[in-house]
Amino acid sequence: MPPELEASLDGLRLTVAEVEAAKDAMTSTVPTTRLPGTPLPDALLQLEEHLMRAKELMPAWRNPEVASEWDACGEGIDESLRRARRLREQAPELGGFEGLIWAVDQVLAPLEAFEAAAERFRSL
């Protein structure tokens, strides 16, 4: 890793920790054989809190070398927050397990941009 990117990589790691916590909050809604799953409204609140913290951390890893990835990640956070808000406000009938999985996937899909950002850092 070039020395001029080390601080950016550290910033990305802190941001990704919040993004991963947001993902964990949403996936916790899915029931398992041991646990009934977190209520969706509670998970959405946790997701929004973690993504807002991630958004606050974004400037820490802004760097010209990863500008397009940084932009995509910022847009991903914003889109995920929009989808979560829409799901919370509209509260559609999900129709059971498959509907819940669909909703979780829809909210989390925009955050895949962080995988591309991590890959870009690895390539540098």
Side-chain angles (χ1 to χ4, degrees):
M1 177 68 55
E4 63 273 9
L5 289 175
E6 288 178 9
S8 294
L9 179 57
D10 289 342
L12 175 63
R13 287 179 177 143
L14 291 172
T15 307
V16 166
E18 289 296 335
V19 170
E20 290 300 318
K23 289 179 178 181
D24 289 345
M26 281 306 290
T27 58
S28 74
T29 62
V30 179
T32 66
T33 56
R34 294 183 156 184
L35 300 171
T38 303
L40 186 58
D42 295 346
L44 288 168
L45 178 62
Q46 290 176 19
L47 171 118
E48 290 170 327
E49 289 171 354
H50 286 292
L51 289 184
M52 291 306 293
R53 282 195 290 272
K55 193 170 181 154
E56 291 170 3
L57 293 168
M58 287 288 292
W61 68 275
R62 187 175 188 136
N63 187 295
E65 291 288 327
V66 292
S68 63
E69 291 82 4
W70 188 90
D71 289 340
C73 288
E75 291 167 12
I77 288 174
D78 290 341
E79 181 60 24
S80 185
L81 285 168
R82 274 191 295 277
R83 292 178 184 190
R85 183 177 51 251
R86 189 169 43 246
L87 185 59
R88 183 175 30 79
E89 290 173 354
Q90 295 176 358
E93 177 57 45
L94 298 176
F97 184 78
E98 277 125 20
L100 178 61
I101 297 295
W102 174 85
V104 168
D105 184 56
Q106 290 299 303
V107 171
L108 297 183
L111 300 176
E112 291 177 10
F114 282 91
E115 293 174 25
E119 185 57 39
R120 175 74 173 127
F121 270 95
R122 282 191 281 277
S123 73
L124 296 173

